[in-house]
Amino acid sequence: MDALSHQREEQDREARSQTTSIFSLGADQLFVILQYLPVPSLLAFGMTCCRFRDLVDSDVLWAFVCEREWGSSALESWSSCSARKTSWKRLYRRMLAPRSVSCRRLHQGDVVPAARASHSMNFVSHKIAIFGGGCDGGRHLDDTWVAFLPDDPTAESIVWQQSSVGTPTGRFGQSCTVVGDTLVLFGGINDKGIRQCDTWVNRGIHVANSEEKSPWQFLEVAVAPPPRGAHAGCYGGDSRVIVYGGIGSDGVRLKDTWMLDLSEEPLSSWQEVITLHSPPARSGHTLTWIGGNRMILFGGRGTRFEVLNDVWMLDMEDEFPDWVELCACKLHPAHEYPAPRAGHSATLIFGGRILVFGGEDARRSRKCDMWVLDPDAGYPANNASACVEIINASHSDIGRSKFARRFWKKLKQRGQPPGRRSFHGACAVQSGRAILLFGGMMDGNLMPLSASGLRFDAELYLLQLAP
């Protein structure tokens, strides 16, 4: 041990003897540089010498790293969280690949939205908003419900208020996207099987009294996508809404991408996004914004009624947007993958990652597993050479460390997990540290087109990713 320490000191002295080296910089100067380094480079820098190791272990530095990768709101949320009793470095490592989720069924007041599935659920302006969906007998719903989220939802009841009814018209399988403090609803299917292509906005998510008009307003657009339901939509950055796929009026599954720019004046217009590549046609999939102008598509049911588990990224940053299929590196040791599914939820959590829950398989058997998808750990499916660097990293101490990222990670569930379900609603709260989940279809091993054995749910769950 003494010989090793002596050798390390000799290396330190030799490095410092170089007058133009980084060793001549002061701690404050180094700190400014280190806070912008990628985590693998930061860890490698800390392995250089004892002085740099102490600097890289600084709790203040890792607070900067957490803020950089998770966002300031998440950092503030963690700072005020009673669970934050460890160093920022250890917290970063633990939350980079969380092992479990704490689940809790929340108490709701005397008035609760009816049990439903294929509805919209969003969190906007500190309020939970639910619209529409399908219920017993295949009937559609046309009601909007709003509830304020308490600071501690596990200690206080969730009090629902019916915001409006009748507008928009009843439907299920629609998309509903948060843009700022506005909800943008598009499409859906009514209980007569008619697909819709109308667009509605709800600004402020207030509760209308009997003398007020509905908070929903019909948005007149110059061009609209073809009617559809069971499609997916999400925020696309820069006041844009993106929708993909679904089932058209002729019952055929679609593979087109559309964009609505709400900043266009005086009349907004949907525009088809033409891409060189595209995911196969599908319905019952998810589309999740992960920051910037990027979004992730996962799963769904294909044209032969097969269920899928492929991952695609749409990047709208460049002049010519395109879809790219992502996967874990094929040259890397085997990774876990979630089974194919449709009717799942895929919700953005902190760090640009996605929590996937539930869904159903090809036999419509419900699922209750939870997975975290890290898009930044994915590689283009058709580019094996892009994986070479991960092989090199895997042979290093950093590649084998607890800081290595994983494309998919299955989570254990603690507390009161939600039962098996599909076509439920979910939204992120607490700056991406937790997810609310409501409703869905439960139970049964059903044949396609069979309505027997279905049970609709009206429970509300909180899924917390706190360490």
Side-chain angles (χ1 to χ4, degrees), residues 48-68:
T48 306
C49 67
C50 296
R51 177 195 172 202
F52 289 170
R53 182 189 61 198
D54 293 341
L55 192 59
V56 166
D57 283 340
S58 165
D59 201 47
V60 176
L61 175 62
W62 283 96
F64 271 105
V65 172
C66 291
E67 180 177 11
R68 182 188 70 197

Side-chain angles (χ1 to χ4, degrees), residues 288 345-349 353-357 426-429 434-436:
T288 310
S345 58
T347 312
L348 179 70
I349 59 175
R353 293 172 295 170
I354 298 170
L355 190 142
V356 172
F357 170 74
C427 59
V429 296
I435 290 172
L436 288 173

Side-chain angles (χ1 to χ4, degrees), residues 183-461:
L183 291 180
V184 182
L185 184 147
F186 170 76
I189 310 171
N190 65 20
D191 53 17
K192 294 183 171 139
I194 299 174
R195 275 67 169 174
Q196 313 289 334
C197 64
D198 49 349
T199 306
W200 296 79
V201 294
N202 188 331
R203 295 182 173 90
I205 321 301
H206 68 280
V207 177
N209 59 41
S210 58
E211 299 178 355
E212 290 182 322
K213 295 181 179 180
S214 168
W216 290 99
Q217 296 178 341
F218 176 74
L219 182 66
E220 186 176 352
V221 295
V223 177
R228 68 192 64 206
H231 55 282
C234 73
Y235 178 64
D238 300 328
S239 301
R240 298 178 298 191
V241 175
I242 305 295
V243 299
Y244 176 84
I247 303 176
S249 295
D250 54 3
V252 174
R253 284 170 171 80
L254 306 169
K255 56 180 296 184
D256 51 349
T257 305
W258 289 80
M259 176 187 72
L260 174 68
D261 189 345
L262 293 177
S263 66
E264 289 183 344
E265 295 182 354
L267 189 64
S268 296
S269 176
W270 286 94
Q271 300 176 16
E272 186 170 7
V273 180
I274 306 300
T275 58
L276 182 62
H277 306 93
S278 178
R282 66 190 68 202
S283 64
H285 51 289
T286 51
L287 191 62
T288 310
W289 176 70
I290 59 171
N293 295 301
R294 300 186 303 160
M295 52 227 73
I296 294 292
L297 181 150
F298 171 66
R301 189 178 293 273
T303 55
R304 300 188 303 276
F305 300 99
E306 77 281 12
V307 289
L308 307 165
N309 66 344
D310 50 346
V311 178
W312 292 77
M313 182 179 72
L314 175 63
D315 192 343
M316 300 284 293
E317 187 70 38
D318 296 333
E319 181 180 357
F320 300 103
D322 201 9
W323 286 98
V324 177
E325 186 177 4
L326 299 180
C327 65
C329 182
K330 295 178 181 179
L331 304 178
H332 197 272
H335 286 266
E336 288 185 295
Y337 273 86
R341 66 195 63 207
H344 53 280
S345 58
T347 312
L348 179 70
I349 59 175
F350 63 89
R353 293 172 295 170
I354 298 170
L355 190 142
V356 172
F357 170 74
E360 61 185 39
D361 63 19
R363 299 181 61 202
R364 297 193 176 175
S365 176
R366 275 61 177 172
K367 299 181 177 296
C368 62
D369 49 348
M370 293 186 189
W371 296 78
V372 168
L373 169 65
D374 187 349
D376 287 338
Y379 290 81
N382 60 353
N383 187 2
S385 62
C387 300
V388 174
E389 60 184 85
I390 198 172
I391 297 300
N392 295 333
S394 68
H395 293 294
S396 69
D397 291 336
I398 298 172
R400 294 191 300 267
S401 78
K402 296 179 180 179
F403 290 89
R405 308 186 78 137
R406 298 181 62 177
F407 190 51
W408 283 107
K409 169 73 175 177
K410 189 175 183 180
L411 302 181
K412 296 179 181 179
Q413 302 175 46
R414 298 181 286 111
Q416 302 171 310
R420 298 175 179 271
R421 67 189 64 216
S422 60
F423 295 98
H424 48 280
C427 59
V429 296
Q430 299 177 358
S431 303
R433 283 197 301 112
I435 290 172
L436 288 173
L437 185 150
F438 178 85
M441 292 189 293
M442 301 186 67
D443 299 334
N445 233 1
L446 306 178
M447 295 298 293
L449 306 180
S450 171
S452 62
L454 279 177
R455 180 168 72 85
F456 292 85
D457 189 56
E459 297 287 356
L460 180 66
Y461 288 86

Side-chain angles (χ1 to χ4, degrees), residues 59-117:
D59 201 47
V60 176
L61 175 62
W62 283 96
F64 271 105
V65 172
C66 291
E67 180 177 11
R68 182 188 70 197
E69 300 205 6
W70 300 346
S72 58
S73 58
L75 187 75
E76 293 171 3
S77 182
W78 280 117
S79 298
S80 60
C81 177
S82 59
R84 220 291 282 180
K85 299 178 181 178
T86 185
S87 69
W88 283 109
K89 182 179 180 180
R90 180 169 294 182
L91 179 64
Y92 177 88
R93 185 179 65 198
R94 290 168 65 178
M95 297 312 296
L96 186 66
R99 297 180 179 179
S100 64
V101 174
S102 176
C103 307
R104 180 81 172 264
R105 186 174 64 249
L106 300 182
H107 184 268
Q108 303 178 81
D110 296 333
V111 180
V112 178
R116 65 191 67 204

